[in-house]
Amino acid sequence: MQPVTIAIDGPAGSGKSTVSRRVAAALDGGFLDTGAMYRAIAWACLEDGIDLTDREAVACIAEDLDLQLGTDPAGARVVVRGQDITAEIRTERISARVSAVATNTLVRPILQQRQRRILHATAAERGACVAEGRDITTVVAPDADVRVLLTASDEARMARRSRELGLEDTEETRARMRDQVLRRDEDDSAVSEFRTAAEGVTVIDTTDLDIDEVVLEVLRLVDTVRGDAEDDDQDVDAAPAQDDDAAGGADPDDGVDVATAWRAGLDDYELDEEDLALLSGEIEEEQFAAPARNLPVLAVVGRPNVGKSTLVNRILGRREAVVEDVPGVTRDRVFYQAEWAGRDFWLVDTGGWEDRVQGIAYRVAEQAEIAVELADAVLFVVDATVGVTATDEQLLKVLRRAKRPIVLAANKVDDDRGELEAAALWNLGLGQPYPVSAIHGRGSGDLLDAVLAVLPEEGRGAAVDHGPRRVALVGRPNVGKSSLLNRLAGENRVVVDDLAGTTRDPVDEKIELGGQVWTFVDTAGIRRRVLQSQGADFYASLRTRSALDRAEVAVVLLEANEPISTQDLKIIDMVLESGRALVLAFNKWDLLDEERRAQLEWEIEKDLAHVAWAPRVNLSARTGRHTDKLVPALERALESWDTRIPTGRLNAFLGTLVAAHPHPLRGGKQPRILFATQARTRPPRIVIFASGFLEHGYRRFIERRLREDFEFTGTPIGIGVRVREKRKRSR
């Protein structure tokens, strides 16, 4: 099949990013987000302290930046200097400043050259590639096979951007969107004219169209191009899905024979390599071998606000630990896998240690002391600008009793004068203090060399193991996630307090339940967006989303004794968007009376009907009631998440279904299902080849019947439709 390149342009809020991803997914092709490259440059400049108005300095960053841009439409990652910044470049901090980079005439030609290479290489590799961004149709890809300009009214574009950012519809929001959307268009139009179509570019006004209608229009343009390029010598006379011989004349369990019968009427449909592999049963599961060597453990300890989490991020080379310029942000002991000079080790971030404290501060200090006991070596962090305090001296006594090797880090040393101040730390009797600036990286290499010198080759930490299934515990603050993790672990693994929002960093814990080892991830409570616009809670929420992306199944905790809230529904929707298996856990069940139980059942029927397929567990993390029922629910959800339907059985099922319940007429024509295959698992995704657009209601009907016939319990199901026009036979 001839590779196809598609270029989609348009102003902010016209829908070009969403449409481009959907088109790329429908074609099983690649996706190029050119705007993400400008955002990545803006992020790198802000990280390096470079003024965005310094055009030459910004251009130097663009020229030399180590930037890797993913092309998977399901989740294209943006990695800069080895750090995944996909989420960070979509924050308002970057959105408000990216125009300074996009309008830099020195930067644009540098990135445009890289964009052309990515576009054509991806199209050649995957058969199609969709690129979206400013002047993509005229400058970057004027030779694209399909060029589209999306437009929309100002009001529609501002409303879409508000929904994308989760903002409420207020006068203040509209003013911000007017500044962000319309002003950005005015700025960018100074260097590129993207609001009017060039010759050969198709204009689609998206103001009154939904996403599916726009995607369908673009796919029709692609089909037209492919139809002109290929030999038009075949015809599809009848839909195999409604052919009795094709649908019922072969054994549904015999994937090869049934698939052959179905494909007989699809000779003019191009199937990619994955589809062909599915038909022939050649898909094999990847096997991962876990290394046997136990890794050493380094605990990072110190009093509050000396920069422990910032130093942890510096060692990791990415922003993992939540950081804010106030004491007490980190509360649990959080394990990260780190590497230096070819050696792997576990890095444990801890909360600030304080002496003679009560409440949550006492439990934070307790977790830090446990981390020291479990470690092979300790990195003792002191603020060199303040010097040794009474708290530092008390903590040092605790460390000496633990009898672990100690490396002393004098943090916040940004210049030679700071090194002189750090020299006073020799008085602690720990040997050489290593001056370091966690923010700027100054001295971090020497510090890590000293750490490796005291770490054993094999340590107290477990070997890196990719085997256990990963379970993310998510929900609103104070719903009981940490209490449930402690109950399952049989110990106080994470800090629990009546204060809402205790957990900040995702905490992994391997727990054996039901004869199987699981990795449970306790996450920060997800607040309403208006409460997480800044500070530690905002970054904790970002890490919760990242933890969810790395998980396989999510347990959404809801308070059984409280009404189901809008925020609960948003969290469930976030899990569905991530494509993870889902289990609903109603915590605090021991607090319910009969009246509340009846009210809850009504709320579930009304508000959770769209996830009625999710297993439900009624439990109490405080008493342990019914926590044993969690594992069977997880196993059912994961089994469905991994399920693959043989192609023959799937098409036989659709043949019977369509014969009994055909698609309603659409515009005087009746779309027909020609062929279907399951493109992937985790979650299951069904791709249907059809002669026309399938209504959303009919897709939901197919999904409901799939769940009934194949018992998809606890997993979302994706149904994609590829629309192909019938070809006329050449005479």
Side-chain angles (χ1 to χ4, degrees):
M1 181 174 59
Q2 182 73 22
V4 176
T5 53
I6 302 102
I8 299 181
D9 204 343
S14 61
K16 61 181 181 298
S17 180
T18 303
V19 170
S20 298
R21 291 178 187 274
R22 294 277 295 274
V23 170
L27 297 172
D28 280 344
F31 167 72
L32 172 59
D33 182 0
T34 60
M37 301 178 76
Y38 291 97
R39 289 174 175 268
I41 301 300
W43 178 88
C45 290
L46 294 176
E47 287 294 299
D48 294 346
I50 293 176
D51 186 355
L52 294 179
T53 61
D54 188 344
R55 299 169 67 252
E56 289 77 14
V58 175
C60 288
I61 291 290
E63 186 75 46
D64 302 328
L65 187 65
D66 177 16
L67 169 62
Q68 297 177 356
L69 199 65
T71 58
D72 185 359
R77 296 293 180 186
V78 181
V79 178
V80 171
R81 300 165 182 163
Q83 178 179 347
D84 188 338
I85 61 170
T86 308
E88 293 186 53
I89 64 173
R90 297 296 174 187
T91 61
E92 191 170 355
R93 168 178 173 251
I94 302 300
S95 297
R97 305 189 184 187
V98 68
S99 283
V101 178
T103 56
N104 189 329
T105 55
L106 300 179
V107 171
R108 297 182 73 84
I110 296 172
L111 293 188
Q112 287 163 359
Q113 187 175 8
R114 298 177 70 170
Q115 291 160 5
R116 291 189 196 99
R117 289 199 300 265
I118 296 173
L119 174 63
H120 293 289
T122 304
E125 177 185 352
R126 304 187 59 166
C129 185
V130 183
E132 64 94 4
R134 295 285 192 261
D135 58 28
I136 194 76
T137 59
T138 54
V139 178
V140 178
D143 57 345
D145 300 300
V146 175
R147 295 187 293 158
V148 177
L149 175 68
L150 302 183
T151 63
S153 67
D154 293 348
E155 292 74 19
R157 294 192 290 119
M158 290 190 292
R160 289 170 185 168
R161 184 53 55 89
S162 296
R163 290 194 298 270
E164 180 182 322
L165 296 175
L167 301 176
E168 298 179 358
D169 185 18
T170 63
E171 281 297 329
E172 181 182 358
T173 297
R174 284 191 287 271
R176 285 172 60 189
M177 290 305 99
R178 191 174 296 109
D179 179 67
Q180 222 185 77
V181 176
L182 303 186
R183 180 190 57 78
R184 179 181 165 194
D185 287 345
E186 289 294 333
D187 290 345
D188 290 358
S189 64
V191 293
S192 67
E193 185 46 64
F194 53 88
R195 293 179 292 186
T196 57
E199 184 178 355
V201 176
T202 302
V203 179
I204 301 177
D205 189 341
T206 67
T207 302
D208 298 319
L209 299 178
D210 62 29
I211 291 297
D212 285 320
E213 291 174 318
V214 180
V215 170
L216 182 60
E217 288 296 324
V218 177
L219 290 176
R220 284 174 176 164
L221 295 174
V222 174
D223 284 350
T224 301
V225 170
R226 281 181 167 170
D228 293 340
E230 296 173 358
D231 187 19
D232 188 19
D233 60 354
Q234 295 182 357
D235 189 16
V236 179
D237 294 339
Q242 295 162 290
D243 186 331
D244 292 340
D245 293 334
D251 184 357
D253 293 320
D254 186 350
V256 175
D257 291 343
V258 173
T260 301
W262 278 76
R263 288 179 60 195
L266 281 172
D267 291 338
D268 61 341
Y269 286 75
E270 295 288 348
L271 300 178
D272 60 23
E273 293 181 0
E274 182 183 27
D275 293 330
L276 297 174
L278 289 171
L279 292 174
S280 58
E282 294 175 355
I283 297 295
E284 296 181 359
E285 296 294 331
E286 276 190 86
Q287 300 296 323
F288 297 96
R293 185 171 64 88
N294 289 340
L295 299 183
V297 179
L298 176 69
V300 182
V301 298
R303 62 180 178 82
N305 213 34
V306 294
K308 297 182 297 298
S309 295
T310 305
L311 184 56
V312 165
N313 286 339
R314 174 61 59 184
I315 294 172
L316 294 174
R318 60 186 185 276
R319 286 190 173 182
E320 283 284 356
V322 176
V323 175
E324 190 177 11
D325 193 20
V326 294
V329 174
T330 303
R331 291 167 177 169
D332 302 296
R333 49 188 163 98
V334 188
F335 284 74
Y336 302 103
Q337 186 183 350
E339 181 271 336
W340 178 254
R343 286 182 59 185
D344 294 321
F345 57 94
W346 291 111
L347 187 64
V348 188
D349 188 18
T350 65
W353 186 93
E354 295 180 273
D355 191 25
R356 298 178 182 178
V357 289
Q358 296 179 345
I360 189 171
Y362 170 78
R363 285 184 280 275
V364 171
E366 183 182 46
Q367 289 294 321
E369 292 178 19
I370 293 174
V372 172
E373 290 296 327
L374 298 176
D376 295 290
V378 175
L379 182 60
F380 180 27
V381 184
V382 177
D383 186 342
T385 62
V386 176
V388 179
T389 66
T391 302
D392 291 324
E393 292 176 345
Q394 292 299 319
L395 176 55
L396 183 55
K397 293 178 181 179
V398 174
L399 298 181
R400 281 179 169 147
R401 286 197 298 267
K403 297 181 180 179
R404 299 287 186 270
I406 302 174
V407 177
L408 178 59
N411 192 26
K412 305 186 183 180
V413 177
D414 298 320
D415 50 31
D416 294 338
R417 179 181 176 182
E419 292 194 11
L420 293 176
E421 296 173 344
L425 298 178
W426 279 92
N427 295 332
L428 288 174
L430 296 176
Q432 178 182 350
Y434 289 89
V436 62
S437 172
I439 292 180
H440 302 110
R442 191 175 193 267
S444 59
D446 293 337
L447 174 66
L448 286 171
D449 289 340
V451 165
L452 293 187
V454 300
L455 283 178
E457 288 295 327
E458 286 201 39
R460 301 166 182 260
V464 178
D465 186 2
H466 300 283
R469 310 303 294 261
R470 292 183 62 86
V471 184
L473 303 176
V474 298
R476 291 186 287 117
N478 216 28
V479 75
K481 300 180 293 298
S482 298
S483 298
L484 179 59
L485 179 61
N486 286 341
R487 170 64 62 178
L488 296 174
E491 61 175 307
N492 290 332
R493 174 61 183 85
V494 291
V495 173
V496 175
D497 194 83
D498 291 336
L499 173 69
T502 302
T503 303
R504 292 276 172 74
D505 298 277
V507 178
D508 292 10
E509 178 71 5
K510 288 185 173 60
I511 301 174
E512 184 173 352
L513 295 173
Q516 181 180 352
V517 177
W518 303 78
T519 298
F520 281 85
V521 186
D522 183 23
T523 65
I526 302 174
R527 302 174 182 269
R528 289 179 298 159
R529 286 183 180 273
V530 68
L531 297 178
Q532 63 182 49
S533 58
Q534 61 182 357
D537 290 325
F538 172 74
Y539 292 105
S541 176
L542 289 182
R543 282 155 179 77
T544 294
R545 294 171 184 269
S546 176
L548 182 60
D549 288 340
R550 296 196 305 272
E552 296 172 286
V553 56
V555 176
V556 177
L557 270 76
L558 304 101
E559 289 191 81
N561 60 326
E562 297 288 340
I564 296 174
S565 67
T566 302
Q567 185 62 10
D568 291 323
L569 299 179
K570 288 182 178 180
I571 293 170
I572 292 173
D573 288 341
M574 185 177 73
V575 174
L576 298 180
E577 290 171 5
S578 72
R580 303 297 169 245
L582 172 64
V583 172
L584 299 178
F586 287 85
N587 191 25
K588 307 181 183 181
W589 196 260
D590 54 315
L591 303 180
L592 265 67
D593 54 26
E594 290 301 323
E595 182 180 353
R596 173 58 192 156
R597 290 189 185 187
Q599 177 70 16
L600 179 60
E601 291 299 330
W602 178 81
E603 291 174 6
I604 291 173
E605 183 178 350
K606 177 175 68 77
D607 297 329
L608 301 181
H610 64 299
V611 288
W613 43 264
R616 171 181 160 187
V617 181
N618 303 325
L619 53 82
S620 170
R622 185 177 65 85
T623 66
R625 181 183 188 272
H626 287 173
T627 53
D628 58 320
K629 295 184 178 181
L630 189 60
V631 169
L634 293 173
E635 290 175 338
R636 285 201 310 274
L638 286 168
E639 182 181 0
S640 298
W641 198 58
D642 290 328
T643 295
R644 183 182 292 279
I645 306 174
T647 304
R649 287 188 61 192
L650 177 61
N651 284 294
F653 158 80
L654 285 174
T656 303
L657 182 67
V658 171
H661 304 280
H663 192 288
L665 292 175
R666 177 181 171 87
K669 297 182 179 179
Q670 187 177 60
R672 294 174 298 168
I673 295 178
L674 306 170
F675 177 70
T677 183
Q678 184 170 343
R680 63 173 68 96
T681 59
R682 301 186 170 197
R685 174 172 170 77
I686 310 298
V687 177
I688 297 176
F689 292 82
S691 63
F693 180 78
L694 301 185
E695 299 283 0
H696 291 293
Y698 197 73
R699 296 190 200 191
R700 288 193 294 270
F701 167 67
I702 294 175
E703 178 185 340
R704 186 171 65 251
R705 293 297 299 270
L706 278 169
R707 293 188 183 281
E708 293 173 359
D709 284 44
F710 298 100
E711 297 183 0
F712 282 108
T713 301
T715 180
I717 300 176
I719 297 181
V721 179
R722 298 183 190 173
V723 179
R724 298 290 187 268
E725 299 291 341
K726 182 190 292 187
R727 295 184 181 177
K728 296 182 179 180
R729 189 184 304 276
S730 57
R731 301 295 180 185

